Structure formats: C-alpha cells, structure tokens
Amino acid sequence: MKASRNALYGGLLLLPAAVLLWTFTYQPILGTIVDSLFSTARGKRPAVFVGLDQYQRMIDDPVFWKAMGNNLVYALTTIPLSMALALMMALLVNSHLRGQAAVRMAYFTPTILPMVAVANIWLFFYAPDYGLVDRFLQIFGWGGQNLLGMPDTALGALIVITIWKEAGFFMIFYLAALQQISPTLLEAAGLEGASYWQTLRRVILPLLMPTTLFISINAVIGAFRLVDHVVVMTKGAPDNATTLLLFYIYQTGFGYWDTGYAAALTVVLLLILALIALFQFGYVDKKVHYR
Amino acid sequence: MSADFRSTPVIALTTVGAWLLAVLWVLPLLYGFWTAFHPAEFAARFDLSAPWTLDNFRRVWDAAPFSRYFLNTFFLVSLILVCQFVICTMAAYAFVCFPFRGSEILFMLVLVQLMIMPEVLLVENYRTLSRIGLLDTTLGIALPYLASAFGIFLFRQTFKSIPKELEEAARLEGANALQILLRVFVPVAKPTYIAYGLVTVSYHWNNFLWPLVVTNSVETRPITVGLQVFATVEQGVDWSLVTAATLLSVTPLLVAFLLFQRQFVQSFMRAGIR
C-alpha cells in the first residue's frame, strides 16, 4: 500500500524534472551520438549515415588538435595557478588582518561579474599602446604589442583573465574549509613548537585536501565549459591560437552550420566530462564530500 | 589560524601583502571606472584634474536599448528562479519522502547534469528549441536550465537533514503531503533557498553563450548579449563608451552584491560545502 502510494506521489512530483531533464540533457546526449554518425543535411541533401567518417575527419583536422592542445594548456595553467592563489587569498583573509572584509571583497568581486563584461574591460587593457597592460610593459621596453593578436601571447592573455576571475571564487571554498578547522588542533601544533610553515604543511593542507579535490573537479569542468571570453575577445584568432574545444563546437555548429561534425566534436567533450565524472565517483567520493 | 604563531613583523608583512594583492585585484575595475566617468580624451590618461562626466553613460543609454535588455534579463532570471524553486523542490521532496524502487537510480541519473551542463549540448538543444518553435524567446533560453541537478541535489541534502519527528508531528495534526512540504520542509530549508537563489541569479544574470545562440532580437536579448552586440559595434572606436556600457550592465548585480556582501559570500560557501 505504502509502496504504491510512494510510487504514485514520487512519480508525479518527479514528472516535471524528469521531462525537462530528458528533453534537454539525456535526449540531446543520445542525439549527439546519433548525429555524429550522419553527414550534415545541406539544402535539399538530407543527412545520410556515414559511420565514423566524422571522427576520421576529426583525426585529420589540425584545428581540432589545436583546440584540444589549447584546452589542455588552458586547463593545466588556469587550474593550478588560480587554486594556489585562492589558497593564498583564503589564508590571508582568514588571518587576523586589518580591513579583512574589504580585502575579501576585493578578491571576490571579479567572480560575480559576467565573463562578457570582464572580457570587454580587459580588451581595453590589452589594447596596444594605450591599454593598461601595454603601458606597464612599455616600462620594460616591450610595449606596442597586440597581446591578443599574436599567436604566442593570445592564449596567455586569456589565461590571465580566467585566473583573475576564478581565484576569488575558489577562495570562498577554501575559506569555508579553513573556518571549520578546529582551533585546538592549531593550538596543539603551536604547543609542539611547530612553525607556521610546518603547521601549514602538516596540519592545514591535509585537512584542506577534500576541498582541494572538490575545487579541482569544478575547475576542470569550468575549463571546458566557459568560452565567453574567447567569443568576446578573439573568436579563436590569431590562427586558432585561442580556440578552445567548446568554442570550436560553437563555431562549427553556428558559424559553419556543420551540425554533423559539431556533434562528433561534442561527443569528445562529453567523453572528457564522463571521465571526470568517473574519477569523481570512483575515487573522490570514497574519500571526500558529498554524502 | 590563530595569530599565536606569528610575530608582529610577520603579521605586518602579511597585511601589506594581502592589501597589495587586493589593490591589484580591483585595479582593473577601478581603471574601467575611471574611463567610464571621464571624457574620451582621458580614456587612457590618468590625470587628477580631468573633469568627471556622465556623458558616456547618457550616450550609451541612447545608443542601444539597454533598458529593454535589463527588463529581458530580469524576466529571464525571475522565470528561471521561480521554476527552479518549484521543480527542484518537488523532485527533492519526492526523493526524500516518497522513495520507490529505482528512485535511487533516478537520482544518480539526475546527477549527470552536474557534469554535463546544458551549454555543452548547445547544438542539439538549439535543434530541439527550433523544433518546438521556441527559438528567440525568453522561455526558450530558460527551458534547459529549469530542472537543475544542482538545485535538486542541494534541496535533497537539506530535506534529508530535517528530523523525521517534525514530519510525523505535522502528519498527526492531520496535515497532508502538500501541507507538510509547505509548512515543515520549506521553512526549515529557507537558508538553502536563499543560498541557491543567489547562486542561480548570479549565474543566469551572467550567462552568455546559450542566450547568444538562441536570441536574435532586441525583445529577447539579455543584458550580456546586448552588451556584446553593442561592444562589437563600438569596439576600437570609443573605449569610454564600451567601459561605460560594461559598467552599466554589471551595476545592478554589483550594487546588490555590495549591499548583501555577507549573504552572497555565505551563500556561495553554503552551496559549495553541501
């Protein structure tokens, strides 16, 4: 009796969420996989089954590899740097500091701004000759450069913005974790004669490990999900130096309207995210968080 | 960390370091602020005697339908917030109070969306919207986000922490399932609602790529897309206008943040710890 009542009530309550999740998450995931096996319909030519042709094309596509490489560099630089900064910020803000609230706000403010706005402001800083960054570089005799226009520096310029924007966000999680560390533990370390650095390494950092894993997973997802600044600042230029995977999908799908190929590219992105999910469920959940 | 293990010079040094970093962090914003409030010839020249002006804002406001963009964003965010509250509350309530065979598996399936957010699937979702004729509508921008795995997860966690006795007591007084939800669960979960609300409002106020793809007219464009359309036209022409437009577009959220700073930070913490 109770079981059937539960199934009825539960089912009805879940219905709206289930319909929406099916329509905009599961069905598109399946649809992407199916579409990646078809050619793109053009004009009167309908899409035909092409097997793994789109994937073959992807393997031969230098832009795809460029995007993957860029995304890897982007993730491997933005994530550790913004997390290290976030940890430092959290430690600073958590210490007895004059004007603590103001400092915390300064670190956190970039986080709540839209990436589009951030990108537009920074576009101005990066402007050759009169942008703030370029004027700073002029002091060292490196001025007059269009940092966003040169293949060697364009991705780096985007990386700087991402770190600036993300560090304050990650700081919040470290701060929350730091405030949960029992003061007795730190006092005990102090009584044992441990220096600040020893306490940091032996007590604080291990206790922050769950938070570090939690943040890194969010950061990895973020590195593949957020491409607003690419759209605003470079559109992948120069010479695909700033093309990230999701931006390439966007470009292929809505610039060239090549939906078949865009689907194949999306499958790669889905695989990457699935790998992260497996890692999280298999490894991280055993040790950390959730629950 | 107590100050016990720090000597006075170390404390002074960290304070200076913390402040230097803070100044470095807000410098870009202050510089943008400077440019927006001064005539174009001072855009990149710092001069204390430069006259302050609101002219840039006036020109921006006249040059593009920003009031309409704000209205669109306001409707979009409200729609998403209300629907997410209702839909996620219902789902979380079902998972906690009406478990049935397979509901655990369903919950695991919901969590998939934590990893694969709607914007990753933008090509397919665009086709779905075009099939049901909702391209270039506010509802169309909102739909993929209405059932939020994050919301369901967060509310479920909160509901689970509510003592069974509270629920039983309400039932003994003759409350039905809906009354129990509205009188017991929702009030207790209020801090979670506030936390989730702030996170989701700032997420959707700032969201860009999906609205950019879906919208195509002044009547639906949210402020982020509107700003981009404006900036693309003006770029390289007049930086004071671009920075003024940028500041204008972030002002409501920034003011809200400055006013409710503590709640914002605590909400992000709460939503993050879960």
Side-chain angles (χ1 to χ4, degrees):
Chain A
M1 189 58 208
K2 186 162 185 273
S4 63
R5 179 181 149 266
N6 270 9
L8 177 69
Y9 277 35
L12 283 175
L13 285 166
L14 284 173
L15 194 64
V19 170
L20 284 163
L21 283 171
W22 168 257
T23 316
F24 294 102
T25 301
Y26 311 122
Q27 180 262 324
I29 291 176
L30 301 175
T32 302
I33 297 170
V34 172
D35 280 358
S36 74
L37 303 173
F38 283 81
S39 68
T40 301
R42 296 233 184 251
K44 287 201 173 113
R45 239 168 347 121
V48 291
F49 183 78
V50 292
L52 296 176
D53 277 11
Q54 301 282 19
Y55 293 94
Q56 184 57 50
R57 183 179 153 198
M58 196 157 73
I59 290 170
D60 299 334
D61 178 6
V63 182
F64 164 71
W65 291 110
K66 184 84 189 164
M68 289 294 277
N70 287 342
N71 229 146
L72 196 69
V73 170
Y74 181 78
L76 288 180
T77 47
T78 54
I79 297 169
L81 286 174
S82 52
M83 283 178 69
L85 256 173
L87 178 62
M88 196 173 93
M89 287 171 168
L91 288 169
L92 286 173
V93 169
N94 201 42
S95 62
H96 298 275
L97 179 74
R98 253 171 205 284
Q100 197 186 36
V103 170
R104 187 181 64 184
M105 195 175 80
Y107 296 159
F108 188 66
T109 304
T111 293
I112 62 148
L113 302 178
M115 193 49 139
V116 184
V118 166
N120 269 306
I121 296 182
W122 280 81
L123 212 47
F124 171 45
F125 298 145
Y126 283 138
D129 294 328
Y130 61 104
L132 191 64
V133 176
D134 199 57
R135 277 148 144 246
F136 179 73
L137 292 178
Q138 278 167 20
I139 302 173
F140 303 96
W142 295 327
Q145 313 268 28
N146 183 6
L147 292 175
L148 285 168
M150 297 187 301
D152 292 339
T153 53
L155 189 61
L158 294 187
I159 287 169
V160 169
I161 300 171
T162 310
I163 294 171
W164 179 70
K165 186 161 160 47
E166 302 277 88
F169 184 55
F170 299 152
M171 169 195 76
I172 293 295
F173 302 120
Y174 273 131
L175 205 51
L178 279 176
Q179 287 171 358
Q180 284 177 340
I181 295 178
S182 137
T184 22
L185 221 54
L186 301 174
E187 272 159 31
L191 286 177
E192 299 272 321
S195 72
Y196 177 74
W197 292 112
Q198 281 171 327
T199 316
L200 182 64
R201 249 193 44 205
R202 298 284 165 81
V203 182
I204 298 174
L205 286 186
L207 285 172
L208 290 181
M209 206 51 201
T211 315
T212 303
L213 281 167
F214 169 78
I215 298 175
S216 28
I217 284 171
N218 276 306
V220 175
I221 299 172
F224 286 97
R225 194 178 58 84
L226 191 65
V227 294
D228 298 0
H229 45 339
V230 181
V231 177
V232 173
M233 301 180 84
T234 62
K235 304 223 179 334
D239 197 19
N240 293 309
T242 54
T243 300
L244 300 179
L245 188 54
L246 183 58
F247 178 77
Y248 192 39
I249 293 173
Y250 162 77
Q251 203 177 29
T252 309
F254 300 98
Y256 316 138
W257 295 99
D258 190 347
T259 47
Y261 191 45
L265 293 168
T266 307
V267 169
V268 173
L269 183 51
L270 290 175
L271 281 176
I272 294 170
L273 294 171
L275 274 179
I276 302 167
L278 281 180
F279 171 75
Q280 172 165 29
F281 283 114
Y283 176 74
V284 181
D285 270 9
K286 295 239 161 37
K287 318 200 147 193
V288 193
H289 272 266
Y290 285 141
R291 223 35 346 244
Chain B
M1 235 150 322
S2 59
D4 299 291
F5 22 174
R6 293 185 183 198
S7 54
T8 323
V10 176
I11 295 175
L13 211 66
T14 35
T15 305
V16 171
W19 274 96
L20 275 179
L21 191 62
V23 168
L24 189 70
W25 236 240
V26 290
L27 195 66
L29 294 174
L30 292 180
Y31 192 56
F33 197 77
W34 166 269
T35 309
F37 281 99
H38 287 90
E41 59 266 33
F42 294 99
R45 214 171 76 219
F46 192 72
D47 182 349
L48 274 181
S49 66
W52 292 75
T53 175
L54 286 171
D55 202 40
N56 297 321
F57 290 93
R58 213 170 291 128
R59 283 169 61 199
V60 164
W61 194 262
D62 291 339
F66 278 100
S67 50
R68 179 73 216 207
Y69 295 154
F70 274 127
L71 208 63
N72 295 340
T73 294
F74 181 75
F75 280 133
L76 173 70
V77 171
S78 314
L79 178 72
I80 291 178
L81 188 66
V82 170
C83 292
Q84 277 184 342
F85 273 175
V86 174
I87 292 168
C88 298
T89 301
M90 283 167 62
Y93 189 43
F95 283 127
V96 173
C97 289
F98 305 101
F100 51 88
R101 261 171 74 99
S103 63
E104 279 297 307
I105 298 169
L106 277 182
F107 180 65
M108 298 301 275
L109 275 174
V110 167
L111 292 186
V112 168
Q113 201 217 29
L114 279 181
M115 290 286 162
I116 298 165
M117 317 273 288
E119 45 267 62
V120 171
L121 297 161
L122 80 176
V123 178
E124 285 293 323
N125 281 338
Y126 180 87
R127 296 175 79 174
T128 307
L129 276 197
S130 123
R131 234 174 273 144
I132 53 182
L134 284 175
L135 282 181
D136 202 22
T137 61
T138 301
L139 182 63
I141 311 174
L143 266 179
Y145 294 99
L146 295 187
S148 154
F150 181 49
I152 296 173
F153 179 85
L154 214 57
F155 295 162
R156 173 178 167 271
Q157 292 295 92
T158 313
F159 288 171
K160 270 173 79 170
S161 70
I162 294 173
K164 277 275 172 222
E165 294 79 45
L166 241 57
E167 193 192 332
E168 291 301 326
R171 183 160 295 135
L172 284 178
E173 284 173 24
N176 61 29
L178 181 67
Q179 286 167 327
I180 291 175
L181 174 64
L182 293 180
R183 290 191 199 150
V184 178
F185 282 78
V186 174
V188 175
K190 203 175 145 199
T192 308
Y193 280 100
I194 294 176
Y196 179 75
L198 285 176
V199 172
T200 201
V201 165
S202 47
Y203 185 93
H204 290 285
W205 190 284
N206 296 345
N207 202 9
F208 172 66
L209 192 63
W210 173 244
L212 173 73
V213 165
V214 174
T215 58
N216 199 16
S217 64
V218 171
E219 283 70 37
T220 52
R221 238 173 241 154
I223 187 75
T224 45
V225 181
L227 170 65
Q228 184 47 24
V229 170
F230 175 79
T232 318
V233 179
E234 291 292 333
Q235 230 157 62
V237 182
D238 195 339
W239 286 112
S240 8
L241 287 191
V242 175
T243 43
T246 307
L247 280 191
L248 191 66
S249 69
V250 302
T251 300
L253 203 62
L254 204 57
V255 169
F257 169 64
L258 294 178
L259 286 178
F260 303 107
Q261 202 218 126
R262 192 168 290 275
Q263 286 91 327
F264 257 97
V265 172
Q266 276 168 359
S267 294
F268 275 83
M269 278 190 190
R270 183 186 283 271
I273 302 169
R274 42 198 200 186

